[in-house]
Amino acid sequence: MKKYILGIFAIAVLAACKSQQEKALRSADKTFILKAANENFAKKKWKNALALYDRLPNLVAGTDDAPNVVFNSAYANYYDKNYRLAGNQFKNFAVSFPQDNRKEEAAYMSALCYYNGSMDYNLDQSSTELAINELQEFLNNYPNSERSKNINTLIDELSYKLEFKAYENAKQYYKMADYKATSTAFENVLDDFPSTKLRPKIYDYMMKARYALAVGSTYELKDERITSALAFTRQVEKELPNTEYAKTALDLREKLEKEKKDFVVVKKQNEERIALFTAKQKKIADKLAEQNKTQQQVKDQISNEKSAMQMQRDSAALQTPPPAATFKIQR
């Protein structure tokens, strides 16, 4: 019986609350709507409070209630996880009510909203970049504020998210066995984030990529790429001594040095084959040149003989006198 009575009471309370919310939504009485909205806010009924606060801006414009409506509405959206909207509202509050003693709190909450609205690293990071800018702006405007103490920590956290996204994107090239692109992508990460904590892992991928690129390289580029990969293993050992990455560097260097020795042998054999082939080609070319020379000499001799014979004929023609004139006897 007691449970039954409590149930009836709860239903009655809910009905009364629903009835008040509906009345407030239909009412044009600013005081009644504001009272109902504030009661919902106090009871953490964020959606109900927001539904009523949305009706109040025009009704309270220019009154002492205006700042509270904007401020509470921003907090209600924040607690309801509408971070982008809440951030804009807090920012507008700080601009619209510069003399309000809650201006700094609103500016901080605006930055915090953008921070909470930052997307996961594998999604578009424009929200993260925006959040960093907002946090940095608060730090610039309120450098001595108590609220500024954790701002750098939040900025570092968001910056790491950007670093990690760039790192993961570069890793995809390695997974696709595009080792040249892997090195380039990771170099870009280091250029963009020189203080990144991911440097050891980045070095590890770069080492393995350069090793794979050198081993599987074409003949023309192999020597250069082996030299580059060897130099990088030494850099890793120098910058990351006594680490697992230094051990990997040593292991890869031993393999690369063996690869280089084998390549020296192959290169020598190839150069010998090229030299032998070049010599044969030269011998053939010399022989052909000699044959061509002989043929040309024969042609020249024939041509000279023809010229000599023609000269003899021309000379004989000049030396032979013309026949004597013949006169007819008149009858």
Side-chain angles (χ1 to χ4, degrees):
M1 185 66 178
K2 185 176 181 181
K3 290 182 180 179
Y4 176 76
I5 293 173
L6 289 175
I8 294 296
F9 179 75
I11 293 172
V13 171
L14 288 173
C17 291
K18 184 177 181 182
S19 177
Q20 184 182 24
Q21 179 73 6
E22 291 176 349
K23 287 179 181 179
L25 287 171
R26 292 194 298 268
S27 176
D29 184 346
K30 177 197 73 172
T31 304
F32 179 67
I33 298 171
L34 183 58
K35 180 175 180 295
N38 289 337
E39 287 177 356
N40 282 323
F41 185 86
K43 294 176 182 178
K44 300 182 180 180
K45 296 180 179 180
W46 311 122
K47 294 187 185 301
N48 287 348
L50 286 168
L52 297 176
Y53 282 134
D54 286 345
R55 299 197 60 224
L56 287 167
N58 291 334
L59 297 176
V60 301
T63 70
D64 292 339
D65 293 321
N68 291 332
V69 168
V70 177
F71 199 72
N72 285 0
S73 182
Y75 261 114
N77 273 307
Y78 173 76
Y79 290 127
D80 203 37
K81 297 183 180 180
N82 304 317
Y83 297 121
R84 179 61 66 88
L85 179 56
N88 289 336
Q89 288 178 325
F90 279 121
K91 195 167 189 176
N92 289 337
F93 178 90
V95 173
S96 301
F97 309 104
Q99 304 304 319
D100 195 290
N101 59 10
R102 294 170 293 182
K103 178 184 176 182
E104 181 186 316
E105 180 183 354
Y108 174 77
M109 288 303 301
S110 175
L112 194 61
C113 284
Y114 285 106
Y115 164 80
N116 284 313
S118 171
M119 305 294 285
D120 290 340
Y121 81 89
N122 56 330
L123 301 176
D124 178 66
Q125 289 302 295
S126 57
S127 60
T128 301
E129 293 171 352
L130 180 60
I132 291 174
N133 291 336
E134 291 293 328
L135 289 165
Q136 187 62 54
E137 183 178 347
F138 179 83
L139 195 60
N140 294 340
N141 292 334
Y142 302 97
N144 300 318
S145 171
E146 283 293 316
R147 295 184 176 92
S148 295
K149 291 182 178 179
N150 71 327
I151 292 293
N152 283 324
T153 301
L154 299 182
I155 291 176
D156 288 344
E157 182 182 333
L158 293 176
S159 296
Y160 180 76
K161 190 183 291 187
L162 296 179
E163 292 174 24
F164 193 73
K165 181 178 179 66
Y167 167 79
E168 286 293 314
N169 288 343
K171 264 176 58 177
Q172 296 305 312
Y173 290 110
Y174 185 82
K175 291 179 180 179
M176 293 186 294
D178 189 345
Y179 301 119
K180 186 176 180 180
T182 299
S183 291
T184 301
F186 277 122
E187 284 171 1
N188 290 338
V189 176
L190 293 176
D191 288 340
D192 293 337
F193 307 100
S195 300
T196 179
K197 296 177 182 178
L198 296 169
R199 184 177 291 272
K201 292 182 179 180
I202 290 173
Y203 275 1
D204 189 49
Y205 276 107
M206 289 179 71
M207 270 195 309
K208 292 174 181 177
R210 293 190 181 198
Y211 168 78
L213 190 64
V215 171
S217 181
T218 59
Y219 178 84
E220 293 78 8
L221 298 173
K222 197 176 189 70
D223 192 21
E224 176 188 342
R225 287 176 173 173
I226 288 177
T227 301
S228 174
L230 281 169
F232 195 74
T233 60
R234 296 187 185 96
Q235 179 182 340
V236 173
E237 280 190 296
K238 181 179 179 180
E239 293 188 25
L240 304 172
N242 304 318
T243 64
E244 59 180 299
Y245 306 107
K247 292 179 181 178
T248 301
L250 178 60
D251 179 58
L252 292 180
R253 188 165 73 250
E254 290 175 352
K255 293 178 180 179
L256 285 166
E257 286 173 346
K258 182 180 183 304
E259 187 77 15
K260 187 171 185 177
K261 288 179 181 178
D262 293 342
F263 180 68
V264 168
V265 174
V266 171
K267 186 177 180 181
K268 183 178 180 181
Q269 292 173 345
N270 192 51
E271 288 173 349
E272 289 173 351
R273 285 195 296 268
I274 291 173
L276 181 61
F277 177 77
T278 302
K280 287 181 179 180
Q281 290 295 104
K282 187 176 183 304
K283 187 175 181 181
I284 293 172
D286 290 345
K287 186 175 181 180
L288 288 173
E290 186 63 31
Q291 290 176 351
N292 290 336
K293 183 178 179 182
T294 302
Q295 289 176 359
Q296 188 62 42
Q297 288 175 345
V298 171
K299 289 180 181 179
D300 291 344
Q301 184 178 353
I302 293 172
S303 178
N304 291 336
E305 289 176 355
K306 287 181 178 180
S307 297
M309 291 175 66
Q310 185 62 43
M311 289 177 63
Q312 289 177 0
R313 285 194 293 269
D314 293 343
S315 177
L318 291 173
Q319 294 176 6
T320 302
T326 304
F327 300 96
K328 292 184 179 181
I329 301 176
Q330 297 182 353
R331 291 178 180 268

